[in-house]
Amino acid sequence: MKAKTVDKVATSIIVVLALFIVVLLLGLLGFILVRGIGQINWHFLTSAPQLLKGGGGIGPQLFNSIFLLVLTLIITIPLGWGGGIYMAEYAKPGRITSFIRLVVEVLSSFPSIVIGLFGLLLIVNTFGLGFSLLSGAMALAIFNLPLMVRTTEQAFRAVPKEQKEAGLALGLSKWKIITSILLPVALPSLITGTILASGRIFGEAAALMFTAGMSSPPLDFTDWNPTSPRSPINPLRPAETLAVHIWKVNSEGIGPDSKEVAAGASAVLVLLVLAFNLSARWIGRVVYRRMTASK
């Protein structure tokens, strides 16, 4: 077979596979949105769920998911970015560095339910934090750290060496080179890694069932005291997230409209992830332009 023919066949196969993936993704999103978009309204987004009667919403679960995302990123970003910068710029080749990379790879392959059971044993029981948002955030931080470390290390290693050498030639310190030269260039990749981690946080359920809990106390949105048990910003209260609520309604829901609630909650979760991804990419481009003075 001629080389041009082989090239055309290979290109056609790649194009067909790419189109198949796009169609599959659009079909999945369309199925979820068509089933649930009609259930979404202001009452559904702000009211509390109902166990035995219809008309309930997802207000507390929606707030819990967003608050848990913020808590998890507060823990994950400094550790993940710091670990990636260390591996890329400070760690010397050797057994210790190889062992750290092995640990990161092994940790990234753990099923989320294993992380949840580990969080239940160590964070919930041993540390005594109980079923809480903080326990869930710490478990998800463990779950997402390998992705953040790997993404950060690859982003810094992808920066052209000439830029780093130019900083050294100017007599800049290592930290100044990292913060002023390497970080602005690596920022889009860092934003992408953070987006991927955030999507996993929004959609995670198995780990949170054993750490954050499967129920929420009645929340008083007029009480912003973080130590109050009914305060929405109390990190030590149990919290059922949107993903856990979808699983719970589908498996245990006994209300007359449980299927509709699950479909509406699934559509909200998909729209939330899409909106967060698009806005985060836009913010990343704006920050990159300002930090690098590019147009």
Side-chain angles (χ1 to χ4, degrees), residues 2 7 25 49 83-84 91 98 104 113 117 124 128 131 137 174 176-177 179 188 202-203 214 222 227 240 255 273 280:
K2 295 182 179 181
D7 180 69
L25 177 61
S98 300
V104 170
I113 193 169
L117 292 173
V124 175
F131 293 105
K174 196 177 188 70
K176 185 65 176 177
I177 292 173
T179 55
F202 270 123
M214 298 176 60
T222 62
T227 62
E240 179 187 35
V273 171

Side-chain angles (χ1 to χ4, degrees), residues 14-281:
I14 293 173
V15 171
V16 170
L17 291 176
L19 290 175
F20 174 75
I21 293 173
V22 172
V23 171
L24 183 64
L25 177 61
L26 293 178
L28 177 62
L29 293 177
F31 175 76
I32 295 174
L33 294 177
V34 168
R35 287 186 62 225
I37 199 72
Q39 308 297 324
I40 302 176
N41 53 55
W42 183 251
H43 174 76
F44 182 75
L45 294 176
T46 57
S47 62
Q50 300 291 337
L51 295 178
L52 301 177
K53 59 181 181 179
I58 57 170
Q61 288 74 22
L62 181 59
F63 179 84
N64 290 339
S65 297
I66 297 174
F67 189 35
L68 180 66
L69 171 66
V70 174
L71 288 178
T72 306
L73 291 182
I74 290 174
I75 300 173
T76 307
I77 289 178
L79 294 176
W81 287 16
I85 292 173
Y86 170 79
M87 296 296 294
E89 300 298 326
Y90 291 96
K92 298 179 180 180
R95 292 183 178 179
I96 296 178
T97 303
S98 300
F99 177 73
I100 293 174
R101 283 202 175 90
L102 177 62
V103 170
V104 170
E105 294 296 330
V106 171
L107 189 60
S108 65
S109 64
F110 275 11
S112 59
I113 193 169
V114 174
I115 300 296
L117 292 173
F118 173 78
L120 175 65
L121 176 64
L122 183 66
I123 302 172
V124 175
N125 295 330
T126 304
F127 291 170
L129 293 179
F131 293 105
S132 64
L133 281 163
L134 185 58
S135 298
M138 294 175 68
L140 289 182
I142 297 172
F143 184 63
N144 282 304
L145 269 178
L147 174 63
M148 295 288 286
V149 171
R150 231 172 9 195
T151 303
T152 304
E153 181 183 0
Q154 292 173 359
F156 273 79
R157 290 189 182 278
V159 178
K161 292 183 178 180
E162 290 79 5
Q163 298 191 20
K164 183 178 179 180
E165 292 172 352
L168 293 172
L170 293 173
L172 300 179
S173 64
K174 196 177 188 70
W175 180 246
K176 185 65 176 177
I177 292 173
I178 291 173
T179 55
S180 300
I181 298 177
L182 302 183
L183 182 60
V185 179
L187 189 60
S189 297
L190 297 181
I191 295 294
T192 301
T194 304
I195 292 170
L196 293 175
S198 302
R200 298 175 77 183
I201 294 169
F202 270 123
E204 184 54 47
L208 295 177
M209 289 189 294
F210 297 102
T211 52
M214 298 176 60
S215 62
S216 296
L219 300 181
D220 182 6
F221 284 91
T222 62
D223 182 7
W224 296 100
N225 180 8
T227 62
S228 175
R230 296 186 59 186
S231 173
I233 61 172
N234 182 1
L236 297 178
R237 64 174 176 84
E240 179 187 35
T241 62
L242 196 56
V244 174
H245 183 66
I246 293 171
W247 173 85
K248 188 176 179 180
V249 170
N250 271 318
S251 59
E252 302 177 1
I254 56 177
D257 60 347
S258 58
K259 293 184 179 179
E260 289 78 7
V261 170
S266 300
V268 170
L269 185 60
V270 169
L271 291 174
L272 199 61
V273 171
L274 290 176
F276 183 83
N277 284 322
L278 294 175
S279 61
R281 290 181 183 275

Side-chain angles (χ1 to χ4, degrees), residues 184 284-294:
R285 286 196 297 268
V286 171
V287 173
Y288 174 73
R289 289 172 182 172
R290 292 188 177 182
M291 293 185 70
T292 59
S294 62

